[in-house]
Amino acid sequence: MEVLKFGGSSVGSSKRIHQVVDILDRYSKHGKVVCVVSAVGGITDKLLKAGQLALEKNESFAAEFDDIKKIHLSLVSELIPKDNDYILEYLEEELSYLKNLLDGIYLINELTPKTSDKLTSFGELMSSFIITEVAKQRGIDAVRKNSQELIVTNSSFTKAEVNYLITNKNIKDYFRTAHQLTVLPGFVAKSNLGEITTLGRGGSDFTASILAAALKVKRLEIWTDVSGMYTANPKLVKQATPIEVLSYQEAMELSHFGAKVLFPPTVQPALDSEIPILIKNTLKPEDKGTLIKTHSTSTSGSVSGITSVDNIALLTLQGNGMVGIPGFSKRLFEVLALEKINVIFITQASSEHSICFGISESDADLAVTSVNQCFEYEISTHRIRPVDVEKNLSIVALVGDRMKNHQGISGKMFSALGKNNVNVRAIAQGASEKNISAVILQNDVKKALNALHETFFEVKTKQLNVFITGVGNVGHRLISQIEQQRKFLKNELRINLRVMGISNSKNMYFDEEGIDLGNWKDHLERGETSSLDGFLEKATQLNKRNSIFVDITASEAVSQMYADYLKRSISVVACNKIACSSEFQNYKTLKNLSKKYNASFLFETNVGAGLPIIDTLGNLVASGDKVTSIQAVLSGSLNFVFNNFNGSTKFHDVVKEAQKEGFTEPDPRIDLSGVDVARKILILARESGYDMNLEDIENDSFLTKANLESDTVDDFFETLIEDEAHFQKLFSSAEANNSQLKYVAEFNDGKAKVGLKEIPQGHPFYNLEGKDNIVMFYSHRYPEQPIIVKGAGAGADVTASGLFADIIRVSNK
Ligand code: ADP
Ligand code: ASP
Ligand code: MG
């Protein structure tokens, strides 16, 4: 047998009632089901309001009644549109009792707790009837049983106490022969004198718990409109998450302090019989929910949840007359108990000069009068002052069984509140240390809950906002790498990487929430016309922390925008080499702007694509080492050319093939002339701390005068054919010396040069294959055995991954 309870939020509309019946249908196929339902959402409040209006002789009670009537009748016409006469008849009859009752209250000007219970009982009686009929219509073997015939209480109206002896027997007897589905109204009961009673606000949970305990079921399920008990009220704290497992104690503390998913006494019958309670979401039945049981086995954080309760009044009694006099608090709490005032919170400083207690605001006036009366003599003799009362307060509390084993929790709590300007009026921590509470202004509750939630539950995720210009081959790869890694970055590195802007030479597109990377091409195609300034403006205007501009072009104009980005504290990541190999002054200015505006300027891919060359160099310099010499092969294209050129191939053909395969720039002269390599060694020299310009680099070209002076690419290829003999000579000389031709960049003591070299066997460059790059750094710490970085130094994928690494480096700063 299963016991399920559906709260008012689950039966608030015809759609939701259908969802409830879906769940009941599913459960009743596997066994007998006991279903407790609340009144339709908001109805109990409306009934009480109508009663209050009638009591105040305010005729608008009739309008409130009409509203209640309309809500129920239209639910029936939506849920069971046909053949519903008998249902409407039943409801009309109940509603006319209700109307008579309200008229009576109006007439005699009286609303006792006893009448109030009669009044509120209508909500659950009507909702349980409607739901039963819907279940029957859906073919379920269903019956409604009025819980007033089972649950027997004393006559403490509005919060009656259960006589378990009789109640349990009634329940066991009744359910000996049960229908497949029994629907019962929650909240309502009857006294042993036959008067209608209720179990207190939120009491349907209690009804369900009583049934579950009496029937000794394996588990009690409470179905509501949230996916369990959350780390904080999800309506106030957006970041709150459901707690998987809680102990009864923790659940009790949380629900006592306002987490109204669960009505506090609910836990008691379940706790006594050790029946676990599962909180589930009617709207999302597939969600796991929260399991409440004897011991929470959860080992995560020491704080399980944060909760709050509003409408608190803080009363303070103070005076010298209190000091050292035993029995003072006894008198105080006795008088409060006598008036049935529930004390939620007590603090007394060890000086005993004052005692401070929190109660519900609605009890405040009564408390003040009765306490002042009780201490009339002491007040008149000025030994104590009349009670001080402060209203519009709330309590926020941290709850957790494991808090007692952890130091510093209250320190953290109060420093979080302090930092957010939340003024704490009073503090209490029970000796059990399952709860630390603070009284604050009601106005501050939302802020306080969010600040505490951030402190105790949220792992800080760093947001990186990327703006990409240039979406050619490398750009494509970068975007797909980002798309692929996003989850990993989020889960493992706590980095939330969003691409917020993309542009090419035609269009640009932005999305503040992060561009859908599965669809970026379509978005870009339909984007606005791009401009370099427009892109900068938009990135500036979005004004996000950790913005990064990524340049994947080879455009000089784009490189001239870096300064503007850096000045707006937007980091720059570039594979474009132009800026770093331009005039020294420009390079230096960018470096300084990066420092001044605390924005990274990273260009690892300028040398050796994704290889960590500049990073290695940077680490050497940062740790105080001095680079004295650099030997390197830095051109994947020239490597390809000289690895494939031999006695049996023609130089022209090899260059042509390299061009065709995309290993050279479209104009292969940029590679073959050595300019590209010269730029790279220049950047390495600068990063080593040397003030150099491109003109300072000796470029000993292996090309002929005719090659260098050719006007067009085609002419250039012509001259390669004409000068084949020249290239063959270079090859045969190397061969004769047992050497390989490699295009080498060198830096020694402030001087740099690039050029073709014969590399003898045994040299680290000799066996360099394919498009590989190699760099050897000699330094004060590495004078003989250099640091060597070697690996694929060209290609869209490795370049994209180098850019990606730079983007991540920004987040580490
Ligand atoms: P029902 O009508 O199902 O009895 P309630 O409105 O009584 O539902 O309780 C569910 C509501 O409790 C949620 O919608 C939520 O606003 C509120 N609530 C307060 N604190 C918490 C919390 N810590 N976790 C989950 N819900 C909470
Ligand atoms: N309908 C009652 C209330 O609103 C009982 C309940 O919903 O649990 O308090
Ligand atoms: Mg409830």
Side-chain angles (χ1 to χ4, degrees):
M1 194 171 270
E2 303 266 3
V3 177
L4 281 71
K5 175 255 171 179
F6 292 89
S9 54
S10 298
V11 295
S13 68
S14 58
K15 186 170 163 223
R16 292 201 176 177
I17 292 178
H18 273 307
Q19 281 167 319
V20 168
V21 178
D22 286 343
I23 294 165
L24 293 173
D25 191 18
R26 203 150 29 80
Y27 273 64
S28 62
K29 288 206 169 79
H30 298 111
K32 302 235 155 119
V33 177
V34 178
C35 165
V36 175
V37 296
S38 286
V40 172
I43 290 296
T44 310
D45 287 336
K46 280 185 174 299
L47 286 164
L48 286 169
K49 188 172 168 204
Q52 191 59 33
L53 289 169
L55 174 70
E56 291 162 7
K57 286 261 175 220
N58 183 334
E59 283 176 7
S60 60
F61 82 86
E64 204 60 41
F65 167 80
D66 287 341
D67 207 22
I68 294 169
K69 181 171 177 176
K70 200 174 122 213
I71 290 172
H72 288 90
L73 295 184
S74 52
L75 270 180
V76 172
S77 61
E78 281 167 39
L79 287 161
I80 309 174
K82 275 190 273 175
D83 302 328
N84 58 11
D85 294 352
Y86 70 101
I87 304 171
L88 294 176
E89 229 163 77
Y90 169 86
L91 286 181
E92 295 281 7
E93 195 175 308
E94 289 289 317
L95 286 161
S96 84
Y97 286 144
L98 171 60
K99 183 72 184 4
N100 286 342
L101 187 60
L102 287 168
D103 286 339
I105 296 169
Y106 180 83
L107 214 69
I108 63 169
N109 227 352
E110 190 178 85
L111 175 53
T112 60
K114 183 174 171 179
T115 314
S116 173
D117 274 357
K118 220 174 258 168
L119 188 65
T120 48
S121 70
F122 282 98
E124 267 74 6
L125 290 175
M126 290 193 287
S127 68
S128 58
F129 183 81
I130 296 173
I131 290 162
T132 311
E133 290 310 314
V134 178
K136 281 189 199 160
Q137 291 272 332
R138 299 261 302 257
I140 306 173
D141 168 32
V143 68
R144 181 177 73 148
K145 175 68 184 168
N146 189 341
S147 5
Q148 290 168 320
E149 293 160 20
L150 300 175
I151 300 178
V152 177
T153 66
N154 65 7
S155 300
S156 291
F157 297 105
T158 74
K159 214 170 197 172
E161 283 155 35
V162 177
N163 180 332
Y164 286 101
L165 215 64
I166 307 174
T167 301
N168 287 351
K169 183 174 181 309
N170 287 347
I171 294 171
K172 278 187 236 162
D173 286 348
Y174 176 77
F175 282 99
R176 256 186 256 285
T177 56
H179 286 249
Q180 207 57 18
L181 169 66
T182 309
V183 181
L184 302 99
F187 181 54
V188 297
K190 253 185 198 163
S191 74
N192 34 21
L193 303 173
E195 307 142 316
I196 293 177
T197 57
T198 66
L199 303 175
R201 289 307 305 270
S204 296
D205 293 345
F206 196 18
T207 308
S209 184
I210 295 166
L211 283 157
L215 294 167
K216 295 195 169 60
V217 294
K218 286 196 311 293
R219 188 171 69 189
L220 164 63
E221 297 188 8
I222 305 277
W223 290 75
T224 180
D225 63 343
V226 285
S227 297
M229 194 88 114
Y230 278 60
T231 47
N233 185 349
K235 297 213 169 106
L236 298 176
V237 180
K238 249 174 88 188
Q239 315 291 342
T241 48
I243 307 165
E244 239 174 76
V245 187
L246 278 174
S247 71
Y248 288 121
Q249 284 300 330
E250 288 172 318
M252 199 112 86
E253 291 279 357
L254 276 173
S255 46
H256 175 70
F257 276 98
K260 65 173 186 152
V261 224
L262 209 61
F263 177 60
T266 311
V267 182
Q268 206 56 50
L271 188 147
D272 293 344
S273 325
E274 297 202 355
I275 296 173
I277 302 173
L278 180 64
I279 305 199
K280 293 280 285 175
N281 188 347
T282 306
L283 315 174
K284 289 184 182 164
E286 65 285 357
D287 282 2
K288 224 167 160 184
T290 297
L291 184 66
I292 301 166
K293 52 184 197 175
T294 324
H295 298 290
S296 124
T297 46
S298 156
T299 50
S300 57
S302 46
V303 178
S304 296
I306 304 168
T307 172
S308 67
V309 49
D310 288 341
N311 304 323
I312 295 292
L314 199 61
L315 279 73
T316 310
L317 203 58
Q318 53 189 324
N320 293 330
M322 291 170 65
V323 184
I325 299 175
F328 202 92
S329 354
K330 179 170 173 269
R331 277 168 68 197
L332 170 65
F333 294 113
E334 234 165 35
V335 67
L336 293 171
L338 217 64
E339 298 294 348
K340 289 200 155 74
I341 295 170
N342 185 21
V343 178
I344 304 173
F345 181 102
I346 309 169
T347 53
Q348 177 172 28
S350 52
S351 72
E352 292 183 42
H353 183 81
S354 72
I355 186 163
C356 174
F357 57 98
I359 56 176
S360 165
E361 222 168 58
S362 56
D363 291 335
D365 295 342
L366 178 60
V368 170
T369 331
S370 44
V371 172
N372 281 344
Q373 226 163 46
C374 170
F375 293 101
E376 201 175 2
Y377 173 70
E378 285 83 354
I379 294 171
S380 70
T381 54
H382 303 289
R383 292 169 65 196
I384 60 169
R385 297 219 300 260
V387 190
D388 240 7
V389 59
E390 227 182 312
K391 292 186 182 171
N392 293 323
L393 298 173
S394 295
I395 297 175
V396 289
L398 300 184
V399 172
D401 282 348
R402 294 173 306 282
M403 291 202 303
K404 60 177 177 293
N405 305 324
H406 289 77
Q407 274 95 46
I409 292 180
S410 47
K412 240 167 123 180
M413 173 177 185
F414 296 110
S415 104
L417 294 175
K419 260 192 237 153
N420 287 281
N421 265 333
V422 175
N423 186 9
V424 175
R425 302 287 308 111
I427 299 169
Q429 173 171 23
S432 70
E433 291 185 40
K434 289 178 195 309
N435 175 320
I436 308 175
S437 318
V439 177
I440 60 170
L441 298 182
Q442 195 151 313
N443 259 344
D444 285 339
V445 166
K446 195 166 175 189
K447 184 162 78 172
L449 287 175
N450 279 281
L452 294 174
H453 198 267
E454 190 177 286
T455 306
F456 290 99
F457 291 102
E458 291 166 34
V459 193
K460 306 243 174 345
T461 301
K462 193 155 192 176
Q463 194 84 33
L464 289 186
N465 306 302
V466 174
F467 297 84
I468 297 174
T469 284
V471 280
N473 221 347
V474 176
H476 266 77
R477 299 298 167 86
L478 176 63
I479 292 171
S480 63
Q481 285 177 15
I482 292 176
E483 191 187 9
Q484 211 173 48
Q485 285 303 100
R486 262 180 58 95
K487 241 206 195 117
F488 174 84
L489 291 178
K490 204 162 192 173
N491 296 340
E492 304 299 322
L493 303 182
R494 303 279 168 211
I495 293 175
N496 185 16
L497 205 169
R498 295 186 298 194
V499 178
M500 283 207 175
I502 295 183
S503 71
N504 57 20
S505 53
K506 290 193 210 81
N507 295 342
M508 56 184 190
Y509 177 75
F510 302 90
D511 187 339
E512 197 173 346
E513 301 299 318
I515 297 172
D516 165 17
L517 296 182
N519 224 351
W520 67 269
K521 282 185 223 161
D522 291 345
H523 289 306
L524 183 59
E525 216 155 85
R526 278 181 262 116
E528 53 196 297
T529 308
S530 75
S531 74
L532 298 181
D533 287 334
F535 202 67
L536 169 72
E537 270 326 302
K538 189 73 188 192
T540 311
Q541 185 201 326
L542 284 171
N543 194 21
K544 300 283 177 199
R545 272 191 300 165
N546 302 321
S547 288
I548 308 170
F549 172 66
V550 185
D551 175 11
I552 325 184
T553 70
S555 145
E556 183 163 3
V558 176
S559 79
Q560 283 163 355
M561 303 296 294
Y562 298 173
D564 289 322
Y565 280 100
L566 293 170
K567 280 181 201 159
R568 289 160 168 81
S569 294
I570 297 175
S571 295
V572 173
V573 166
C575 66
N576 183 348
K577 281 192 269 300
I578 295 175
C580 287
S581 56
S582 63
E583 279 304 302
F584 183 77
Q585 203 41 53
N586 185 43
Y587 161 82
K588 197 71 204 163
T589 305
L590 294 174
K591 285 273 192 180
N592 289 340
L593 286 174
S594 152
K595 259 186 245 142
K596 182 169 174 192
Y597 292 96
N598 197 23
S600 304
F601 175 38
L602 298 173
F603 38 86
E604 178 63 86
T605 45
N606 279 5
V607 181
L611 292 178
I613 295 173
I614 294 178
D615 192 44
T616 305
L617 184 51
N619 290 338
L620 286 177
V621 174
S623 66
D625 203 355
K626 176 88 183 156
V627 174
T628 50
S629 164
I630 302 170
Q631 307 280 318
V633 174
L634 294 172
S635 167
S637 9
L638 287 172
N639 249 6
F640 177 88
V641 169
F642 289 107
N643 282 343
N644 288 288
F645 176 53
N646 53 45
S648 51
T649 53
K650 290 222 165 65
F651 193 71
H652 164 272
D653 298 347
V654 176
V655 175
K656 196 87 205 169
E657 191 190 340
Q659 186 204 32
K660 207 177 88 203
E661 296 287 337
F663 296 151
T664 68
E665 301 286 326
D667 181 348
R669 286 175 298 181
I670 296 176
D671 296 300
L672 273 77
S673 67
V675 171
D676 192 56
V677 177
R679 280 180 179 158
K680 288 175 182 169
I681 193 76
L682 172 68
I683 294 169
L684 294 185
R686 284 176 171 176
E687 287 289 294
S688 308
Y690 295 89
D691 171 353
M692 289 182 84
N693 272 309
L694 200 60
E695 306 83 73
D696 304 329
I697 293 169
E698 200 182 312
N699 186 345
D700 184 10
S701 182
F702 67 91
L703 295 175
T704 66
K705 203 160 171 279
N707 301 155
L708 289 169
E709 285 171 3
S710 58
D711 285 334
T712 64
V713 175
D714 287 341
D715 287 350
F716 174 66
F717 274 108
E718 278 303 310
T719 65
L720 288 186
I721 295 173
E722 285 155 20
D723 289 337
E724 179 64 27
H726 165 76
F727 298 109
Q728 284 299 335
K729 214 162 89 201
L730 292 175
F731 176 77
S732 46
S733 158
E735 195 177 37
N737 292 328
N738 247 344
S739 296
Q740 292 268 2
L741 287 174
K742 299 289 168 197
Y743 197 85
V744 176
E746 291 171 285
F747 170 81
N748 282 307
D749 294 328
K751 290 203 179 66
K753 65 175 179 196
V754 295
L756 194 66
K757 280 191 133 188
E758 291 183 3
I759 303 294
Q761 222 166 3
H763 190 281
F765 294 174
Y766 184 86
N767 284 320
L768 210 60
E769 286 167 18
K771 295 170 287 170
D772 281 5
N773 278 197
I774 184 167
V775 181
M776 305 198 293
F777 292 113
Y778 292 88
S779 68
H780 287 171
R781 285 194 204 130
Y782 295 89
E784 273 133 33
Q785 289 299 320
I787 288 192
I788 300 182
V789 184
K790 181 185 166 190
D797 250 333
V798 288
T799 307
S801 68
L803 287 166
F804 202 160
D806 271 350
I807 293 172
I808 302 304
R809 261 178 216 127
V810 173
S811 80
N812 293 336
K813 206 175 51 124

XYZ file of all heavy atoms in Angstrom, residues 5 7-8 38-39 44-45 124 187 200-205, ligand 2:
109
model
N 0.333 12.209 -0.709
C -0.411 13.424 -0.387
C -0.154 14.488 -1.440
O 0.998 14.705 -1.841
C -0.020 13.937 0.992
C -0.666 15.260 1.351
C 0.312 16.404 1.261
C -0.357 17.761 1.390
N 0.585 18.863 1.333
N -0.625 18.459 -2.295
C -0.912 19.757 -1.672
C -1.784 20.630 -2.551
O -2.055 20.310 -3.716
N -2.211 21.737 -1.994
C -3.081 22.676 -2.704
C -2.470 23.130 -4.016
O -3.172 23.332 -5.011
N -5.211 18.179 -0.359
C -5.496 19.471 0.271
C -6.678 20.112 -0.445
O -7.124 19.634 -1.489
C -4.327 20.412 0.093
O -3.275 20.057 0.917
N -7.080 21.248 0.104
C -8.074 22.065 -0.601
C -7.408 22.603 -1.862
O -6.178 22.688 -1.945
C -8.487 23.222 0.290
N -8.302 27.619 1.318
C -8.363 27.764 2.779
C -8.236 29.238 3.167
O -8.969 29.737 4.026
C -7.263 26.921 3.444
O -7.335 25.606 2.905
C -7.423 26.867 4.946
N -7.317 29.928 2.493
C -7.149 31.364 2.779
C -8.429 32.135 2.462
O -8.838 33.025 3.206
C -6.005 31.949 1.932
C -4.648 31.481 2.440
O -4.562 31.132 3.627
O -3.687 31.453 1.644
N -11.254 21.039 1.812
C -10.770 19.673 1.584
C -11.922 18.732 1.220
O -11.749 17.809 0.428
C -10.041 19.162 2.829
C -8.536 19.372 2.832
C -8.086 20.806 3.076
O -8.965 21.655 3.355
O -6.880 21.098 2.976
N -6.271 17.467 6.515
C -6.520 18.628 7.356
C -7.712 18.463 8.304
O -7.682 18.933 9.426
C -6.676 19.835 6.431
C -6.914 21.186 7.015
C -6.057 21.726 7.973
C -7.973 21.968 6.555
C -6.255 23.009 8.461
C -8.183 23.248 7.050
C -7.318 23.772 8.016
N -4.557 22.109 11.940
C -3.639 23.256 11.832
C -3.287 23.518 10.385
O -3.361 22.619 9.550
N -2.893 24.780 10.093
C -2.579 25.147 8.708
C -1.495 24.231 8.162
O -0.540 23.900 8.841
C -2.113 26.609 8.628
C -3.203 27.649 8.850
C -4.421 27.459 7.963
N -4.156 27.406 6.554
C -4.143 28.459 5.745
N -4.386 29.658 6.223
N -3.928 28.301 4.454
N -1.655 23.845 6.904
C -0.693 22.920 6.286
C -0.919 21.489 6.749
O -0.118 20.596 6.493
N -2.065 21.248 7.449
C -2.273 19.978 8.136
C -2.544 18.760 7.264
O -2.607 17.636 7.776
N -2.705 18.924 5.951
C -2.925 17.737 5.110
C -1.709 16.822 5.139
O -1.834 15.598 5.046
C -3.208 18.148 3.668
O -4.400 18.883 3.622
N -0.534 17.411 5.244
C 0.682 16.606 5.383
C 0.543 15.700 6.612
O 0.911 14.525 6.591
C 1.906 17.512 5.623
C 2.257 18.367 4.419
O 1.757 18.067 3.320
O 3.022 19.334 4.585
N -5.723 23.468 3.205
C -4.993 23.578 4.445
C -4.122 24.805 4.436
O -4.093 25.519 3.452
C -4.183 22.345 4.716
C -3.145 22.005 3.697
O -3.193 22.448 2.573
O -2.254 21.233 4.051
O -3.479 25.085 5.421
